[in-house]
């Protein structure tokens, strides 16, 4: 039940520290920082025998996959392809026995994802399912299963399932890596506590959401991991508040989308990564020069604030945390932004129109 919360969505947002804690439990050695996925039946040798990774998923799970691609490419140095499951089969997939197909699904019942899994297996590629519902079709059909331990997710908009999928992909990227990465492993263990700190942004996000709730279009921009998180932020807003939102790679703005920026148009700019910050701030300045309004998401550190504030009308300051965790944390205020905008507009947050929790038709 919802307890003291008005909606399951908010309850599930608040369950994220615990969901992530459970997903990490027993899989990361706190002293060595090493990752052990033997619970999924995957030995280190078998895992490291793959030459390519193919990720298939839908919706929010696909967005988690986009984060996963960055991590696997950076840490395991393997080429990764991410496809929307419904499109996978039409591209004459280049998967074979040397490819590990990773299917991500909260419900484990999404028809498109299951169809992609069957196609991958037909082509000889073994499948790892990252799935929340144990005993689901995906859990049964996959060769190996890495369970996310989010617990039942009731609200149609996915929140805690997304965060635990992202965590599972961090674990997979570390397990695929041929070199030990103890710092990244130990960093992950800080995540539950950092999410708790991030939840304290609620009043600030609520205030901003009220200001934005009357808008009909919003843009989300970011680079690298921030771009993947921006896509999830935009989907969440569309899905429950019915405000049209699109995410763009920040550098793509001036290749077309900038034409849509007019006075008052709001752009949510994610700038969590120090090495990319100056460039993203440059894009924020371009937006402001056209009269747009910029809401910046950046860590609560003097250097970051100082650089970003110049080009922002409003700031959503994330708790200062290891940089690798910041894109994950940034998803939390974006979930809340969508939630409060939807509540302000009187929408049915847990059961948005036209949507089902589990999409069992192709
Ligand atoms: O159960 P699944 O993870 O396979 O579901 C995939 C999508 O239908 C789902 O993530 C959808 O996009 C969410 N409602 C978004 O919040």
């Amino acid at each position: 039940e919802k307890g003291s919360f008005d909606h399951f969505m908010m309850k599930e947002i608040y369950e994220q520290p615990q969901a992530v804690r459970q997903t990490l439990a027993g899989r990361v050695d706190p002293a060595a920082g090493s990752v052990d996925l033997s619970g999924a039946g995957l030995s280190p040798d078998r895992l490291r025998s793959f030459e390519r990774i193919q990720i298939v998923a839908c919706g929010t799970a696909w967005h988690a996959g986009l984060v996963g691609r960055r991590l696997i490419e950076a840490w395991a140095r393997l080429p990764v392809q991410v496809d929307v499951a419904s499109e996978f089969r039409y591209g004459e997939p280049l998967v074979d026995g040397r490819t590990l197909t990773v299917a991500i699904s909260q419900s484990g019942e999404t028809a498109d994802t299951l169809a992609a899994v069957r196609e991958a297996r037909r082509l000889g590629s073994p499948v790892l399912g990252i799935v929340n519902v144990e005993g689901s079709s995906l859990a049964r059909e996959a060769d190996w299963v890495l369970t996310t331990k989010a617990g039942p997710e009731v609200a149609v908009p996915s929140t805690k399932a997304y965060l635990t999928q992202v965590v599972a992909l961090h674990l997979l990227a570390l397990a695929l890596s041929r070199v030990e990465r103890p710092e990244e492993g130990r960093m992950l263990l800080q995540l539950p506590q950092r999410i708790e700190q991030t939840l304290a942004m609620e009043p600030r996000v609520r205030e901003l959401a009220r200001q934005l709730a009357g808008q009909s279009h919003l843009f989300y921009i970011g680079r690298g991991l921030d771009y993947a998180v921006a896509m999830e932020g935009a989907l969440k807003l569309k899905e429950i508040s019915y405000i049209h939102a699109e995410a763009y790679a920040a550098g793509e703005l001036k290749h077309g989308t900038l034409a849509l920026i007019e006075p008052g148009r709001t752009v949510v700019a994610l700038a969590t990564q120090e090495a990319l910050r100056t460039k993203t701030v440059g894009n924020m300045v371009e937006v402001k020069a056209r009269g747009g309004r910029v809401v910046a998401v950046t860590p609560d550190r003097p250097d970051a604030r100082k650089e970003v504030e110049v080009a922002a009308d409003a700031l959503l300051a994330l708790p200062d945390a290891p940089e690798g965790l910041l894109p994950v944390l940034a998803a939390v205020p974006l979930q809340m932004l969508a939630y409060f905008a939807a509540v302000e507009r009187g929408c049915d947050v847990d059961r948005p129109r036209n949507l089902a929790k589990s999409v069992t038709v192709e």
Side-chain angles (χ1 to χ4, degrees):
E1 266 315 296
K2 286 182 290 217
S4 57
F5 294 94
D6 292 337
H7 301 93
F8 280 104
M9 181 182 177
M10 200 46 136
K11 173 172 181 263
E12 290 164 0
I13 288 174
Y14 271 83
E15 284 170 352
Q16 292 182 117
Q18 180 62 3
V20 167
R21 196 171 286 122
Q22 282 163 197
T23 303
L24 290 169
R27 290 167 171 166
V28 185
D29 180 319
S34 53
V35 169
D36 176 7
L37 295 187
S38 53
L42 264 167
S43 71
D45 286 348
R46 181 70 179 110
L47 255 179
R48 288 170 197 160
S49 69
F50 293 106
E51 294 170 15
R52 292 183 60 230
I53 308 294
Q54 169 73 56
I55 298 178
V56 290
C58 300
T60 283
W62 174 58
H63 293 155
L66 295 173
V67 173
R69 171 174 63 192
R70 299 264 176 189
L71 300 171
I72 296 168
E73 290 188 343
W75 293 347
R77 307 301 295 150
L78 288 175
V80 183
Q81 169 114 7
V82 190
D83 283 290
V84 166
S86 58
E87 286 292 314
F88 174 68
R89 279 165 297 158
Y90 315 130
E92 308 212 9
L94 287 165
V95 301
D96 57 22
R98 291 163 298 176
T99 311
L100 175 65
T101 296
V102 180
I104 312 169
S105 174
Q106 187 284 130
S107 62
E109 302 297 347
T110 300
D112 287 317
T113 306
L114 291 171
V117 161
R118 288 169 198 146
E119 177 66 359
R121 298 192 77 216
R122 192 184 66 78
L123 294 167
S125 169
V127 172
L128 169 67
I130 295 184
V131 59
N132 195 44
V133 178
E134 289 178 48
S136 59
S137 302
L138 176 57
R140 279 183 274 115
E141 291 190 30
D143 296 87
W144 304 287
V145 180
L146 178 56
T147 43
T148 50
K149 308 273 184 183
E153 192 181 62
V154 176
V156 169
S158 180
T159 54
K160 60 177 182 169
Y162 168 76
L163 236 57
T164 56
Q165 285 159 353
V166 167
V167 167
L169 288 157
H170 276 79
L171 295 173
L172 179 63
L174 290 174
L176 284 166
S177 170
R178 286 174 172 78
V179 293
E180 296 297 326
R181 296 185 177 275
E183 288 186 6
E184 283 84 350
R186 284 193 289 263
M187 171 187 80
L188 273 184
L189 295 174
Q190 291 188 27
L191 196 51
Q193 182 216 342
R194 300 294 187 181
I195 299 169
E196 256 152 37
Q197 293 168 350
T198 309
L199 292 170
M201 295 172 74
E202 182 186 323
R204 170 80 182 123
V205 181
R206 190 192 309 134
E207 175 193 318
L208 257 177
R210 288 204 174 123
Q211 293 167 23
L212 297 178
Q215 305 247 339
S216 46
H217 305 278
L218 231 73
F219 297 114
Y220 288 70
I221 61 170
R223 288 169 187 266
L225 285 168
D226 283 345
Y227 173 39
V229 176
M231 291 175 75
E232 174 56 7
L235 174 64
K236 216 92 295 174
L237 188 76
K238 278 187 274 206
E239 183 180 23
I240 57 172
S241 76
Y242 318 142
I243 298 173
H244 169 231
E246 295 298 332
Y248 289 96
E252 272 291 295
L253 264 187
K254 53 185 163 301
H255 297 286
T257 311
L258 203 52
L260 290 171
I261 304 298
E262 52 190 14
R265 178 73 69 238
T266 300
V267 176
V268 179
L270 280 80
T272 72
Q273 305 296 293
E274 194 176 339
L276 307 176
R277 192 164 63 220
T278 305
K279 286 194 176 152
T280 300
V281 168
N283 303 122
M284 290 160 55
V285 170
E286 289 167 353
V287 170
K288 279 196 69 77
R290 274 89 192 166
R293 203 179 121 76
V294 176
V295 175
V297 184
T298 204
D300 195 3
R301 274 206 319 266
D303 57 331
R305 289 186 75 120
K306 187 164 172 252
E307 191 176 3
V308 166
E309 262 165 0
V310 178
D313 298 276
L315 204 64
L316 282 174
L318 298 166
D320 190 14
E323 187 168 273
L325 298 181
L326 290 170
V328 187
L329 298 180
V332 176
L334 299 188
Q335 294 167 343
M336 289 181 168
L337 192 70
Y339 173 83
F340 286 116
V343 169
E344 187 71 16
R345 291 163 69 94
C347 301
D348 186 347
V349 177
D350 287 338
R351 278 179 306 272
R353 67 188 182 202
N354 310 343
L355 300 175
K357 180 64 184 162
S358 164
V359 184
T360 54
V361 289
E362 285 187 40

